[in-house]
Amino acid sequence: MAKRNSIFLSSSDTSVIKARKMMMVRKASPISRILCLGLVHGPASSNYSRFNSLRSYSESLNLSHSKPPGPLALYRNLVEKGKLQDDPNQERVALELENLLGRLEQYEREMEDYHERLAKWEEKRENERRRLLMAEAEHKQQEGISSHRFTGAGRWLFRRKPENVEPGVGKWVSYLNREKKLDSLVCSRPTAPPAPKGLYIWGNVGSGKTMLMDMFYGVTQGIVKHRRRYHFHEAMLKINEQMHKIWKNQVEGKSLQSSISNWIINLPFDTKVKEWLAAEEQYKQEAQMQNILLAVADKLLINQQADADRKGASILCFDEIQTVDVFAIVALSGILSRLLSTGTVLVATSNRAPNDLNQDGMQREIFEKFLAKLDEHCKIVYIGSEIDYRRLIAQRSIDQVHYFWPLDSVVLEDYEKMWHEVTGEEGGQITSLSIPVMFGRILEVPESCHGVARFTFEYLCGQPVGAADYIAVAENYHTVFISDIPVMSMRIRDKARRFITLIDELYNHHCHLVCSAASSIDDLFQGTEEGTLLDLESFQFEAETEGGKLRRNVLAVGTVGSGGSSTSIISMISGEEETFAFRRAVSRLIEMQTPLYLDGVRNLHPCFRKELCQESETTCATNLQ
């Protein structure tokens, strides 16, 4: 068996590691992971952090230029250096991204000016609103004082309570009347500048979509301040988390209706009038939160601490748009429509054309409105390549010793040997740990050793866990061992779906994966004697037979129901959709065995990038002393 030294260095090489880390942003050659798709000598890296190496590469090229290179220049340079195989389809998409980048600098300045004008307008409107509230409160104060002068019928006449008014209607009417007055008192809301059209890039598995999108994302640093990059799984979890927070705040707010806001408490009014003011304030907030998806959209791209004083444009890079169930359609339609309407520039990838995303016709009216919005704000680009570059590169690679099969005694002995080698290099002490997962949950890790963890397939995929758990594993461990992976069939379709999600997240975070499996990667999803994995007539993952347990477990605390109870979200995935998922998983598993991918782990996994940032901060602090 070939020597296994892809990413693990001996203790004598510690100084080399440190030097390599400190130089990674200055060297042009560490593009080891820039390009998993289209590389000539090896595949590239994960979707989650590929833009980091692209960013590093663009910074290195900038040493002799006044302006960083754009996506097209990066692409052509890599082709010239033999790092990428020339592909006219990829170059055409790179040109589209280059043109978009060229429009962003001016748009950023326009949006900064717009947000300044908007902030002044909002401040003026809020001041006028409070002035109106104070005038109404003074009137009520006087009304209350005057009413004490009357008794009996006189007091009854002064109260003038309207008849046949439903509870809440009074607040709604006063709120609307106040808004109308504000419209006449304050000038109209500033108009946002027209946003440049984004891109929706679609095409086959392994054709280079994500590589190009991440290349674009990397070079926007320093041009656009507010940028976010989400994979589908991560975005859906983020959306659910935000929905839960908003819902929770609303519920807690209802129990505090008698509380008095800070700005109200010291006003010279009676307690009853102050309570009325507080109730009016709360009603305004509730009215603004009626559409929870709009509130989520407004927070999806904003880091509360870093972006408190928000100015400038926003870019959302969204990898692998899917519509796997009703919730995904409703949530993505509402949130992306809102973002596009408020000036966010979207660059997205998908295996499908927009019109083919919802082949089952779920929530057709909502989805058609989303398509219209997408067509208005994005250019639809088909990448067109039929080549899976990951597979092509893997055929030229050797030393694939991290995927062990079949499950016989010789192979398992080699698998165990690698486990002991890797953990030995990391210190050798094996412990069990609990790691935090979104929504306040935890996941038990049976065997852990300084960034290395070991699981069985059954442990990770045979129980109701999901993307949130897999993201936690991928973020905490740069090397993950998974044993006893079976050949997938319809009998274990729920486990197969979880396994695909697991591979997606390990790949997105650029983890080193070591497996023992019953078959080769190509045969993993081919089915067994019990039947194939795909049932094209009625294909469901986590459907009625499981009661949607996987999705509900992930959202155990963060629900999407208005009343706070868990909502059963059934994932109805077509056979064709799953074919894409299987092909993607196979393509990624193949790439994850190649030397270039493995070489990138130490530079690009979150664990190592965190170490690099800490070392850089320490160096800067030392230099300042």
Side-chain angles (χ1 to χ4, degrees), residues 443-472:
L443 178 70
E444 299 294 335
V445 180
E447 296 179 272
S448 173
C449 177
H450 301 296
V452 182
R454 178 156 83 162
F455 306 89
T456 65
F457 171 88
E458 194 65 27
Y459 187 86
L460 283 180
C461 304
Q463 55 181 331
V465 295
D469 304 86
Y470 303 146
I471 288 172

Side-chain angles (χ1 to χ4, degrees), residues 217-477:
Y217 185 84
V219 298
T220 57
Q221 185 180 28
I223 296 177
V224 176
K225 179 180 177 182
H226 304 285
R227 311 175 307 142
R228 289 291 183 275
R229 187 230 190 260
Y230 287 113
H231 181 268
F232 173 78
H233 299 313
E234 184 184 11
M236 298 307 294
L237 288 167
K238 186 76 172 178
I239 289 167
N240 275 287
E241 183 181 41
Q242 288 291 341
M243 288 177 72
H244 175 62
K245 285 180 180 178
I246 293 170
W247 173 82
K248 185 179 179 182
N249 290 340
Q250 285 179 328
V251 170
E252 290 176 349
K254 289 175 184 176
S255 66
L256 300 173
Q257 287 184 1
S258 62
S259 66
I260 301 176
S261 301
N262 291 333
W263 74 273
I264 296 173
I265 197 167
N266 294 321
L267 293 175
F269 297 127
D270 293 339
T271 301
K272 290 288 185 183
V273 176
K274 290 180 181 179
E275 289 178 350
W276 172 82
L277 278 170
E280 292 292 315
E281 283 286 82
Q282 182 172 329
Y283 187 81
K284 180 204 75 171
Q285 295 174 5
E286 291 175 356
Q288 292 174 345
M289 289 292 184
Q290 287 299 310
N291 191 333
I292 195 170
L293 289 179
L294 301 186
V296 171
D298 291 340
K299 295 181 181 297
L300 192 64
L301 301 184
I302 302 301
N303 179 308
Q304 292 298 318
Q305 294 179 341
D307 302 340
D309 184 22
R310 185 182 185 281
K311 294 178 182 177
S314 294
I315 290 176
L316 172 60
C317 287
F318 198 123
D319 193 28
E320 292 183 23
I321 284 185
Q322 305 171 46
T323 54
V324 296
D325 54 30
V326 172
F327 175 74
I329 289 175
V330 173
L332 291 179
S333 297
I335 288 171
L336 291 181
S337 294
R338 168 73 167 190
L339 292 174
L340 291 171
S341 297
T342 54
T344 296
V345 177
L346 175 69
V347 176
T349 72
S350 180
N351 292 128
R352 292 185 179 278
N355 289 328
D356 295 333
L357 281 172
N358 184 22
Q359 293 190 335
D360 294 327
M362 298 178 285
Q363 296 292 323
R364 188 179 300 278
E365 184 177 348
I366 292 174
F367 182 71
E368 287 179 353
K369 289 181 180 178
F370 167 64
L371 287 182
K373 185 69 66 175
L374 193 67
D375 186 62
E376 178 185 355
H377 292 276
C378 291
K379 182 174 182 179
I380 314 302
V381 179
Y382 175 53
I383 198 166
S385 178
E386 297 297 326
I387 301 172
D388 182 346
Y389 282 103
R390 297 187 186 107
R391 183 177 293 275
L392 179 66
I393 301 312
Q395 291 172 354
R396 299 170 179 170
S397 301
I398 57 174
D399 228 10
Q400 295 185 28
V401 295
H402 305 276
Y403 185 93
F404 296 87
W405 69 281
L407 298 175
D408 59 33
S409 58
V410 175
V411 167
L412 293 180
E413 183 179 344
D414 290 335
Y415 176 80
E416 289 294 325
K417 183 179 178 182
M418 176 168 277
W419 164 254
H420 290 300
E421 285 179 3
V422 172
T423 54
E425 291 172 1
E426 296 293 339
Q429 186 173 358
I430 312 299
T431 59
S432 61
L433 290 176
S434 299
I435 58 175
V437 181
M438 291 177 75
F439 308 115
R441 296 189 297 107
I442 61 170
L443 178 70
E444 299 294 335
V445 180
E447 296 179 272
S448 173
C449 177
H450 301 296
V452 182
R454 178 156 83 162
F455 306 89
T456 65
F457 171 88
E458 194 65 27
Y459 187 86
L460 283 180
C461 304
Q463 55 181 331
V465 295
D469 304 86
Y470 303 146
I471 288 172
V473 170
E475 288 178 344
N476 283 278
Y477 297 102

